Amino acid sequence: MVVQIDLQGRCGECLLYGAIQGLADGLVLFDPDGRAFHLNRRAAEILGVDATRALGSRIKDFVRNPDVLAFWESARGETAPVTSDLTFPPARSLRAIASVCLSADGRPIGRALLLRDVTRDKTIQVELSASVAKRFVEMTGGEPGSPIPPLTAREREILALLAGGLGNAAIGSRLHVSVNTVASHLKSLFRKLKVSSRSHAAAFALSHGIRPPDA
């Protein structure tokens, strides 16, 4: 059941109002006080909630997934859209986007949470990344079975999640550590692996059989 609300009255000034009605992704809209006033059918399906009960509530009162809650909290106070890839059981990947809703004259009138199921995209990405990593190893004359430098258990966890395409915020949420802690571990990882980018680190991980837990 889709809850009928007066979107025109609430969102008529939003520059994106025209696109809301036909949106295929999950969308939750919050008023300036942080209370949900609209969930579309897809959002209710993804979050596994009853839209009628969620309306008028704060996100922590109807969302049970800790990754979604941590992401939403981390985006608080940001004026630009914030994006993160989250793992959502069972074995689903979500791309979450938090943004401020602005009126036509630029006034903040609420916040929006957009949820896009990218599970299939992620599967393809991992498969392609593995293929690219294999080719990278071949071109550089390396061996997939060459020794892996000593890594801490936490560094190995982060490397595996990085290989799955997760950003720092999503990795921190999964491991219950801060974004700064993730960044510090990545700096150490890059030094140990002798790489200079996330893509090279991911290629190294995949070529050595290090994959995300749900891959």
Side-chain angles (χ1 to χ4, degrees):
M1 169 182 174
V2 178
V3 177
Q4 300 297 325
I5 63 171
D6 180 17
L7 273 181
Q8 177 66 50
R10 286 273 196 172
C11 303
E13 291 187 79
C14 179
L15 294 176
L16 297 178
Y17 171 71
I20 290 175
Q21 302 289 12
L23 197 64
D25 296 321
L27 177 68
V28 188
L29 298 175
F30 298 85
D31 64 22
D33 293 326
R35 298 184 183 279
F37 67 86
H38 174 71
L39 287 83
N40 67 358
R41 179 183 287 109
R42 187 65 180 130
E45 290 173 353
I46 290 174
L47 296 172
V49 301
D50 182 341
T52 57
R53 296 186 178 183
L55 293 180
S57 303
R58 301 185 186 278
I59 191 169
K60 63 182 178 61
D61 295 325
F62 63 89
V63 172
R64 295 291 174 258
N65 184 282
D67 288 356
V68 174
L69 293 174
F71 165 71
W72 184 250
E73 184 61 30
S74 71
R76 182 186 297 275
E78 298 291 339
T79 55
V82 179
T83 302
S84 184
D85 288 345
L86 311 174
T87 299
F88 208 83
R92 292 168 64 194
S93 294
L94 289 183
R95 181 154 298 141
I97 303 172
S99 62
V100 176
C101 299
L102 300 176
S103 67
D105 59 1
R107 292 179 294 104
I109 54 176
R111 296 178 72 198
L113 175 64
L114 186 70
L115 300 169
R116 175 170 297 163
D117 191 331
V118 293
T119 305
R120 178 57 183 162
D121 294 344
K122 282 293 184 181
T123 300
I124 293 172
Q125 179 184 354
V126 169
E127 291 171 351
L128 288 177
S129 297
S131 176
V132 170
K134 182 176 182 294
R135 180 59 179 158
F136 177 78
V137 170
E138 292 171 350
M139 290 175 64
T140 56
E143 294 292 336
S146 58
I148 300 174
L151 303 176
T152 66
R154 181 63 86 195
E155 287 172 343
R156 197 175 182 97
E157 285 180 316
I158 290 176
L159 183 59
L161 294 173
L162 177 67
L166 271 66
N168 287 11
I171 293 174
S173 179
R174 283 283 295 274
L175 299 179
H176 305 293
V177 298
S178 71
V179 173
N180 288 339
T181 298
V182 174
S184 177
H185 281 302
L186 285 176
K187 184 176 180 180
S188 174
L189 270 170
F190 287 5
R191 184 179 66 254
K192 289 182 179 181
L193 300 180
K194 294 182 171 60
V195 299
S196 58
S197 69
R198 299 173 71 89
S199 59
H200 286 167
F204 179 94
L206 292 166
S207 69
H208 286 74
I210 300 175
R211 292 173 172 265
D214 51 2

